[in-house]
Each structure stands twice: as structure tokens, then as C-alpha cells.
Amino acid sequence: MKTASKEELKELYDKDFPLWVEINLQLLREKAYELVDWENLLEEIEDMARSDLKTCISYLAVILEHLKNARREINILLTEYPSLRNKLLLQMDRAWIRAVAKLEDWLEDRGIDPKAYPIPEKCPYTYEKAMTRDLRREL
């Protein structure tokens, strides 16, 4: 691998990021710490931490969006067909069975044993809580 001066290495950061990574990695392995582009390397490490946080926030936003959208769709149907409200109140157990099955599939797809994950057997929410509360606070 071609070695680069500190100035060339700093220029590579903007021009050829993968090569910049390779060279800095090699310098670190060789313990040539005085040649490492520390300024940009530290910035990248900070960005990695922010990136993981941004990813978590994004996933949380999707959960909240789905929760909000699902509630809205149920409310639209209940407005259109009011007789469903009393029937739906009695279906929390059936809905929970479906939710658990989907969660178990999701966990298995990610290589996680669902048995090792603490999923309550019975739905921990009432219909009222599911339709009105921020369930994140309940977990």
C-alpha cells in the first residue's frame, strides 16, 4: 500500500475516503501514530456514535408513525361502522396472538430466539390503553 504524507492523507479524506480509511488503518496497525490523520479520524468516530443514535431515533419514529396510523385507521373504521367498537373491545387477545406471532417471526429473521425474548403471554394492555396511551412508557 502506498504511504502518504500527513497533508496528502488529509486531502484523501475528501477525495478518496475508502483509501483514506485503508491508509489510516494500516498506520494504526503499524503503530505509526504520528502519521495518522487524527483530526478526521476522531470526527469519524464521533459521527459513528451519532449515526447509531440517528438510526435508533429513525426506527422509533417508524414505530410511533405505525402506532399513530393504525389508531387513525381503526378510528376511521369505527366511525364508519360504529357496531364494530363493542366487538373490537373483546378482541385484544386475538390481536395479541397475531402481534406475538409477527414479533416472533421478526426476531427469528434476525437470528434471535424468540424464547429468549421476554414476550408476555397475555396482552399487557387494555383496549383503552392501546388506543390512547403512548405505549413506549408502558414497556
Side-chain angles (χ1 to χ4, degrees), residues 72-135:
R72 186 183 71 238
E73 293 300 320
I74 287 174
N75 284 325
I76 289 169
L77 284 168
L78 294 178
T79 299
E80 196 170 335
Y81 307 110
S83 65
L84 290 180
R85 183 176 307 276
N86 290 334
K87 292 176 184 176
L88 188 59
L89 288 168
L90 305 173
Q91 300 303 316
M92 286 297 288
D93 290 337
R94 287 180 72 190
W96 184 250
I97 290 169
R98 288 182 181 199
V100 168
K102 286 182 179 184
L103 176 58
E104 288 174 342
D105 287 346
W106 184 86
L107 290 167
E108 286 174 354
D109 288 347
R110 281 145 188 83
I112 301 169
D113 179 8
K115 290 179 178 47
Y117 199 83
I119 303 170
E121 279 189 44
K122 296 257 182 199
C123 182
Y125 312 110
T126 63
Y127 172 82
E128 291 77 19
K129 280 186 180 179
M131 291 300 292
T132 60
R133 299 281 309 258
D134 179 356
L135 299 180

Side-chain angles (χ1 to χ4, degrees), residues 3-134:
T3 57
S5 70
K6 232 177 170 165
E7 293 74 30
E8 291 172 324
L9 195 54
K10 285 182 186 270
E11 287 178 23
L12 268 180
Y13 180 76
D14 293 321
K15 292 181 180 174
D16 190 344
F17 183 76
L19 182 57
W20 175 88
V21 169
E22 283 181 47
I23 293 172
N24 273 288
L25 185 58
Q26 189 63 39
L27 291 170
L28 289 168
R29 284 187 178 133
E30 294 172 359
K31 296 183 173 52
Y33 302 127
E34 68 283 355
L35 299 175
V36 171
D37 181 3
W38 287 107
E39 181 182 339
N40 287 320
L41 182 60
L42 292 173
E43 186 177 310
E44 286 301 316
I45 292 170
E46 287 176 341
D47 286 348
M48 286 170 42
R50 282 192 293 267
S51 173
D52 289 340
L53 178 59
K54 286 179 185 178
T55 299
C56 288
I57 291 168
S58 177
Y59 283 132
L60 182 58
V62 168
I63 290 169
L64 296 175
E65 176 186 343
H66 285 212
L67 182 65
K68 182 180 170 185
N69 289 342
R71 284 178 179 162
R72 186 183 71 238
E73 293 300 320
I74 287 174
N75 284 325
I76 289 169
L77 284 168
L78 294 178
T79 299
E80 196 170 335
Y81 307 110
S83 65
L84 290 180
R85 183 176 307 276
N86 290 334
K87 292 176 184 176
L88 188 59
L89 288 168
L90 305 173
Q91 300 303 316
M92 286 297 288
D93 290 337
R94 287 180 72 190
W96 184 250
I97 290 169
R98 288 182 181 199
V100 168
K102 286 182 179 184
L103 176 58
E104 288 174 342
D105 287 346
W106 184 86
L107 290 167
E108 286 174 354
D109 288 347
R110 281 145 188 83
I112 301 169
D113 179 8
K115 290 179 178 47
Y117 199 83
I119 303 170
E121 279 189 44
K122 296 257 182 199
C123 182
Y125 312 110
T126 63
Y127 172 82
E128 291 77 19
K129 280 186 180 179
M131 291 300 292
T132 60
R133 299 281 309 258
D134 179 356

